Amino acid sequence: EETPTFYKFALHGEYPIDTPELIEKASSWFEKNYINLSVDDVFTFAKNVYLEAQNQDINLENSLIEKIATVDPNLFNKDFYYHIKIRKENLPVDQYEAKEIFDELLAKADYLGTIKTAQILELIDEEYNLKQYYSKNIAHPVISTFSFEKNAEGRYIDDIYITKDDIKNIANYNITDLVGTDTIKELRGPDSLDVFSSLPMPIRKKLIELIVKNRNGQS
């Protein structure tokens, strides 16, 4: 199948998506063809189209684009074990080595994190010829690995997925020199993401640095 221009844009920024029609077309194409993309390209495509849709005030709510672009990178699919089990069942009976590799990935998944786990899962699928089952009974590594049940409302802000919990977890003493008391109260309120997005870029950048440190246990 010929690669359309919106596909290339979504991955590499080579062509513009400057109309609602192109964005909707890209979203529809993605629904049918994401299984043929790598883990990294799935996220790149979804994120780029979703951000452009936001810029144009186009609603992609409940689309696969929206679900993947706003997925919480800290949450594993609760059925991840089942997705590994299905893969093992599609291996030849005597393929013991591959089954051990899948078991090892299961054991190390929490340590590796969702993104690295999905990337490794893709490599294993390719090595043992399991990609042929993606459109049948095996789910794409992104679908297999990540949870699409949000534990906190969030969105991409400056290319980083930020949740309300992320903002809540920033200690007051870290931001008193950056924003006023009233703004701190608003950042603790129900519209915290909107308030965060409205802050000047230099302040957002500093707050995002604090969020990243919190996620890495460096606060």
Side-chain angles (χ1 to χ4, degrees), residues 30-31 34 39 42-43 46-47 60-80 83 114-115 118 121 139-154 156 161:
F30 184 74
E31 298 269 352
Y34 78 95
V39 169
V42 163
F43 278 110
K47 179 179 172 183
L60 293 180
E61 187 176 0
N62 295 323
S63 68
L64 187 59
I65 287 280
E66 188 266 347
K67 289 177 181 178
I68 291 177
T70 62
V71 71
D72 188 331
N74 300 307
L75 290 181
F76 273 95
N77 188 328
K78 67 181 186 304
D79 295 321
F80 181 60
H83 286 290
T114 51
I115 295 175
L121 185 58
H140 188 283
V142 170
I143 306 300
S144 299
T145 305
F146 291 85
S147 171
F148 294 94
E149 298 176 5
K150 302 290 191 304
N151 69 338
E153 184 180 349
Y156 273 99
Y161 189 72

Side-chain angles (χ1 to χ4, degrees), residues 21-215:
E21 291 76 17
L22 280 175
I23 289 176
E24 291 173 4
K25 193 175 181 182
S27 180
S28 176
W29 184 92
F30 184 74
E31 298 269 352
K32 300 174 184 177
N33 293 280
Y34 78 95
I35 60 172
N36 299 315
L37 302 180
S38 70
V39 169
D40 291 340
D41 283 352
V42 163
F43 278 110
T44 300
F45 191 112
K47 179 179 172 183
N48 286 352
V49 174
Y50 181 71
L51 290 175
E52 183 62 21
Q54 284 189 312
N55 290 338
Q56 297 189 40
D57 199 25
I58 297 169
N59 185 6
L60 293 180
E61 187 176 0
N62 295 323
S63 68
L64 187 59
I65 287 280
E66 188 266 347
K67 289 177 181 178
I68 291 177
T70 62
V71 71
D72 188 331
N74 300 307
L75 290 181
F76 273 95
N77 188 328
K78 67 181 186 304
D79 295 321
F80 181 60
Y81 172 84
Y82 169 79
H83 286 290
I84 296 297
K85 181 174 180 290
I86 291 295
R87 282 167 161 81
K88 291 164 65 176
E89 291 175 353
N90 278 274
L91 289 167
V93 177
D94 59 350
Q95 194 58 266
Y96 303 111
E97 180 184 14
K99 294 176 182 179
E100 290 177 358
I101 291 174
F102 278 125
D103 288 339
E104 185 177 359
L105 181 61
L106 269 177
K108 293 183 177 179
D110 286 338
Y111 170 76
L112 293 169
T114 51
I115 295 175
K116 190 67 176 177
T117 296
Q119 291 169 336
I120 294 173
L121 185 58
E122 179 183 23
L123 292 175
I124 300 172
D125 287 347
E126 184 170 6
E127 175 70 21
Y128 293 99
N129 200 31
L130 293 176
K131 284 190 170 184
Q132 62 179 311
Y133 301 114
Y134 278 5
S135 60
K136 301 171 184 175
N137 61 333
I138 289 181
H140 188 283
V142 170
I143 306 300
S144 299
T145 305
F146 291 85
S147 171
F148 294 94
E149 298 176 5
K150 302 290 191 304
N151 69 338
E153 184 180 349
R155 71 179 68 153
Y156 273 99
I157 300 175
D158 298 335
D159 291 338
I160 300 291
Y161 189 72
I162 305 293
T163 68
K164 288 185 176 181
D165 283 348
D166 284 325
I167 298 172
K168 180 180 178 181
N169 290 335
I170 303 174
N172 283 353
Y173 64 81
N174 280 328
I175 57 177
T176 50
D177 291 337
L178 298 175
V179 299
T181 304
D182 289 341
T183 302
I184 292 177
K185 290 180 180 178
E186 291 176 345
L187 285 169
R188 304 306 188 209
D191 300 321
S192 57
L193 289 165
D194 291 333
V195 176
F196 193 103
S197 298
S198 69
L199 295 172
M201 182 175 290
I203 294 178
R204 292 201 309 268
K205 183 177 179 181
K206 290 182 180 298
L207 292 178
I208 287 173
E209 289 174 356
L210 292 172
I211 287 171
V212 172
K213 286 182 179 180
N214 281 343
R215 290 178 178 177

Side-chain angles (χ1 to χ4, degrees), residues 1-19 22-23 25-26 29 45 49:
E1 181 179 351
E2 183 180 353
T3 302
T5 56
F6 54 77
Y7 168 84
K8 292 181 180 179
F9 165 84
L11 292 180
H12 310 297
E14 295 175 1
Y15 297 91
I17 297 180
D18 53 3
T19 68
L22 280 175
I23 289 176
K25 193 175 181 182
W29 184 92
F45 191 112
V49 174

